[in-house]
Amino acid sequence: MPTEILMPALSPTMEEGTLAKWLVKEGDAVKSGDILAEIETDKATMEFEAVDEGVMGKILIAEGQSGVKVNTPIAVLLEDGEDASAAEAPAAKPDAKPTDTGAEPGPAEKGYGGPIGAPVAGEGSVKDAGGKDVGGKAAAPAPSKDGQRIFASPLARRIAADKGLDLSAITGSGPHGRIVKADVEAAKPGAKPAEAKADAPAAAAAPAAPAPAAAAAPKGLSTETVLKMYADRETEEVQLDGMRRTIAARLSEAKQTIPHFYLRRSAKLDALMAFRGTLNKQLEARGVKLSVNDFIIKACALALQQVPDANAVWAGDRILKLKPSDVAVAVAIEGGLFTPVLKDAHQKSLSALSAQMKDLAGRAKTKKLAPHEYQGGSFAISNLGMFGIENFDAVINPPHGAILAVGAGIPTPVVEGGEVVVRNVMSMTLSVDHRVIDGALGAQLLEAIVSHLENPIGMLA
């Protein structure tokens, strides 16, 4: 039976992507683990692997097509020996509606969906590589049990469909409870989940009363309004790619929903610069060169251990405290930015942090980071000092509890012991989520960061 290959969700935030390149063609035999395509997400270009064996029957989405929604069929996989004509997807009936299971549809596992011809849901028709409408609209909802998605291999799903088995009644023996071929073959038909009783209380069937309407978020000027304003001026329109749209959405959400407040401190860098120079001379033979940013990362990681209540994120209806110091660092790339996360940064040496940061930044610039490398963390650093920026306020990247904005180190006259001396002073601003960190706690965190930067030898202890 032909199987639709669906646009996968390659990260938790991915809603659509660009099919950058097909690495197989129609008629090619594929096996599990083969790379089928390269897909551009909102953050990176990632390889998409096959999870089934078979023959590529038909490519539905051409290379370079953007805005392909997650769970949209992108190709059809045939079983060995199946005729290529089976890859033609019949048009969905106009009155075909997805069954209401009571659970929201989830992305199909590894991007593979159910058999061709199953009812589909979603908007927008699917066209093949030649632009022909093949009728499909989107992926069918993944099976669910008690509102939770059921994980099963594509082969197990096909066997279950052939035998008339309900996957929700089968216990999986694969990794993380995944249902595999052996589980389905050993199952007996007939077991089905209990249906809702007809005499259930009317209140249970009635829709819940709507919550009081929240105040609508303010919206900016419409596209049409802005275009009219500049109709008599020479302009160039720049279409938003996935990354730019994601940045716009997340940062707009952050400023509208996170109660930011700001704490400002300066740190004298003279001792750090001298210590860095000494270390770099000693590490030169190993090809290691520490940057000021490496010291800042280490200082923040240690400070989060000293002030553990600030090592936290906002989790909707609770605060989630982290044990390790997972520090994200903003990296500017063409058209946007990444925030790769250095996990367990408090346990790593300065040279290890430096090497890892160089690797992550290099792959960020080519969009080769995997999702687990830029997701997570409780704290972020944004350093614009290398651009000569003296100070600025950064926007918190949810669900982080805080972000440190770092400015340039500038020779500044300061008073020490009743005398005016010139010191290399760096300005910092800590943007804090007031739901997670209160003012006094944020002040303690910033004090710990400054203390480490002004006494850098202690970071080696």
Side-chain angles (χ1 to χ4, degrees):
M1 184 181 294
T3 300
E4 290 178 337
I5 301 176
L6 310 180
M7 173 62 89
L10 297 176
S11 74
T13 60
M14 179 178 170
E15 296 181 354
E16 61 182 41
T18 298
L19 210 158
K21 183 179 182 181
W22 279 107
L23 301 179
V24 294
K25 59 182 182 296
E26 293 179 2
D28 284 356
V30 298
K31 59 181 184 295
S32 179
D34 285 353
I35 307 300
L36 299 180
E38 291 181 355
I39 293 174
E40 293 180 6
T41 72
D42 54 348
K43 288 286 188 181
T45 300
M46 304 180 66
E47 294 176 336
F48 176 40
E49 294 184 1
V51 297
D52 246 353
E53 295 185 356
V55 176
M56 288 296 294
K58 191 172 188 63
I59 290 175
L60 304 177
I61 300 295
E63 284 187 4
Q65 185 163 334
S66 61
V68 182
K69 299 291 185 182
V70 167
N71 280 0
T72 298
I74 60 175
V76 177
L77 185 69
L78 302 175
E79 293 182 346
D80 289 337
E82 258 183 330
D83 189 85
S85 62
E88 294 292 339
K93 296 179 181 180
D95 58 349
K97 296 181 180 180
T99 302
D100 185 0
T101 63
E104 292 188 11
E109 186 172 14
K110 291 280 187 178
Y112 283 72
I116 289 180
V120 294
E123 298 179 356
S125 61
V126 178
K127 299 182 183 299
D128 63 16
K132 178 183 176 183
D133 192 335
V134 296
K137 288 190 177 182
S144 62
K145 181 179 182 181
D146 298 330
Q148 299 297 318
R149 185 175 149 226
I150 296 173
F151 289 91
S153 71
L155 180 57
R157 295 181 192 276
R158 289 204 300 271
I159 296 174
D162 292 340
K163 296 176 68 174
L165 296 174
D166 187 344
L167 287 175
S168 66
I170 300 175
T171 301
S173 62
H176 307 291
R178 185 184 188 194
I179 299 171
V180 296
K181 175 183 176 184
D183 302 321
V184 179
E185 291 180 335
K188 296 180 180 180
K192 292 186 177 181
E195 295 182 359
K197 294 182 179 180
D199 58 350
K219 294 183 179 180
L221 297 175
S222 68
T223 301
E224 292 74 14
T225 300
V226 175
L227 291 177
K228 288 179 181 178
M229 288 173 62
Y230 296 94
D232 62 341
R233 310 305 299 161
E234 183 178 355
T235 60
E236 176 188 359
E237 289 189 17
V238 179
Q239 297 300 317
L240 302 181
D241 59 15
M243 174 176 286
R244 199 74 244 166
R245 283 197 297 269
T246 299
I247 291 172
R250 284 179 63 81
L251 295 187
S252 295
E253 175 191 359
K255 290 297 287 185
Q256 291 171 3
T257 63
I258 297 176
H260 287 64
F261 72 92
Y262 307 94
L263 302 173
R264 310 181 199 282
R265 283 287 299 266
S266 295
K268 291 179 283 189
L269 297 184
D270 300 84
L272 187 151
M273 298 302 289
F275 184 52
R276 171 175 172 259
T278 300
L279 284 179
N280 280 340
K281 285 182 181 179
Q282 296 174 352
L283 297 171
E284 188 174 1
R286 291 166 46 189
V288 176
K289 185 176 183 180
L290 303 176
S291 68
V292 173
N293 211 47
D294 298 330
F295 285 88
I296 296 171
I297 295 168
K298 183 70 171 181
C300 291
L302 293 175
L304 289 169
Q305 294 297 303
Q306 286 180 248
V307 190
D309 286 346
N311 189 17
V313 299
W314 180 251
D317 62 351
R318 68 201 66 187
I319 293 171
L320 191 64
K321 292 183 181 179
L322 276 70
K323 295 292 185 183
S325 292
D326 297 343
V327 179
V329 181
V331 176
I333 66 171
E334 184 177 354
L337 59 84
F338 272 102
T339 51
V341 179
L342 294 98
K343 296 182 178 178
D344 301 303
H346 62 294
Q347 296 178 343
K348 295 176 180 175
S349 67
L350 284 164
S351 58
L353 288 173
S354 179
Q356 185 181 9
M357 191 65 235
K358 286 182 174 68
D359 171 60
L360 291 171
R363 289 189 291 117
K365 293 180 186 300
T366 57
K367 296 186 178 181
K368 295 297 183 182
L369 290 178
H372 72 271
E373 293 177 308
Y374 57 79
Q375 292 170 356
S378 65
F379 184 91
I381 299 169
S382 181
N383 189 344
L384 294 179
M386 66 281 292
F387 300 106
I389 300 301
E390 296 183 14
N391 55 71
F392 67 103
D393 299 340
V395 180
I396 296 171
N397 184 26
H400 291 177
I403 182 171
L404 185 70
V406 181
I410 299 174
T412 305
V414 297
V415 177
E416 292 182 359
E419 296 182 358
V420 177
V421 295
V422 176
R423 299 296 186 206
N424 195 350
V425 177
M426 180 177 72
S427 174
M428 298 177 293
T429 301
L430 186 67
S431 302
V432 185
D433 183 343
H434 215 322
R435 300 172 300 181
V436 181
I437 301 171
D438 291 325
L441 185 61
Q444 292 176 39
L445 179 63
L446 194 50
E447 167 61 29
I449 294 171
V450 171
S451 178
H452 284 301
L453 291 175
E454 294 187 341
N455 302 279
I457 296 177
M459 289 194 274
L460 302 184

